[in-house]
Amino acid sequence: MGRALIYLALLAAGVSGIMWMARLGGLVEFAVGEIVVQLPFSAFLLFAAALFATLHLGLAGLGALRRWPERARQRREAEHRLLGDAALTRALVALAAGTPDLARIEVARARRHLGDTAQTLMLAAEAERLAGREEAAAAAFHLLAANPDSRFLGLRGLLRQAIQRGDWPTAQRLAREAEAAQPGAAWLKQERETLALRMRDWREALALAPAGAQQAPLALAAAMQEADADRASELERLAFQTDPAFTPAALAHARRLREAGSARRARQVLEDAWKARPHPDLAALYLEGEADPLARVRAAEQLVHGQPKHAESRLLVGRLATAAALTGRARQELEMLAGSGEADRRAFLALSDLEEFEGRDTPESRAAQSRWLRRAAEAAPEPGWRCGQCGAEHGGWAPACPACDTAGMIAWGRGGSAPTQS
Ligand SMILES: [Zn+2]
């Protein structure tokens, strides 16, 4: 409204100006050579105004003509973006709905409109994977990996494919490349850990594992793989110190100390391990080389002094006392054990042995023996090293199950019950 009033005022001023000049009169004269042109001053003003308006309009038209291709291109681009975005949305919906064929059509449309961007390539790969076309998916991941901005996405996709088809060396190489592209990605750490376990690369698995007791089996496994004796010894010590209750580490550490001539320190390691978790293998190593039955009882008492009331402690001392003819001591330990509710088959068999040793061949002794044997048959089986994955029994601990090839599943425990030690 305000602007219209200004225009009106300007128009009125112009018209009255021209009329004033027309009343004023006067001539404008052009002389070109011999020709002389005379114009009234007002006509000259009108002519000049018309000339100015024509020139101005002509130049504006020329400018618009020059900008025309650029504008058309922008309009086309906006149109493509709009169509491409719509196709992307439809592809996402198709992927979420689990319809790979529709997703592939929409992704192809989106790629036609938007080109190979990180989004279109990622969706293309996902759609191809959903359709079971792994090679086409790999091609999209390779294109993603070729671009520095989306390199990690591409490598991650290729890594997952390698893991899926069980190509562990390729997977490990890709994991290292992905780590270089995106250092410190949490997801990658987990994946590298899984790969290290798969590849039986225990040192790498140890380096990636969170601090704590779960490091002990990995450190021992790395020690078993280590060719250098000093480094192996250091890893065994680390395994024992990380988890003294992990028997295989204590055994390896104590053996190494004994070989190095530190018998006293080896004994101390086994005593500490027994205190953390009594285990018959600890006793076997502790008593190795000791033949005298009475000395064996004394040594066993020294070993178990940190946990004298534990079922394994009572069983060990009871059995050795029987062998040393210390029947009173043996009966005390074994009957306490039988009454504790923690006894397994071994305790009742030891009691039967004790009856046999004590009673010689009397009818009472035979009756007592068969009573203990019956209880042995009903009792829980003795514990052993078992795979938590396939249930196979093994003579000792191993980093991976020889039967089913699963890593980290062999544990000490009773058959049919949950493993009690990793
Ligand atoms: Zn197994």
Side-chain angles (χ1 to χ4, degrees), residues 98-111:
T99 46
D101 293 333
L102 185 60
R104 285 181 59 229
I105 292 170
E106 293 299 348
V107 169
R109 197 168 286 158
R111 276 173 91 174

Side-chain angles (χ1 to χ4, degrees), residues 386-394 400-406 409-410:
R386 280 184 182 79
C387 172
Q389 184 71 25
C390 68
E393 288 186 35
H394 302 289
C401 173
C404 70
D405 209 32
T406 312
M409 287 306 283
I410 296 185

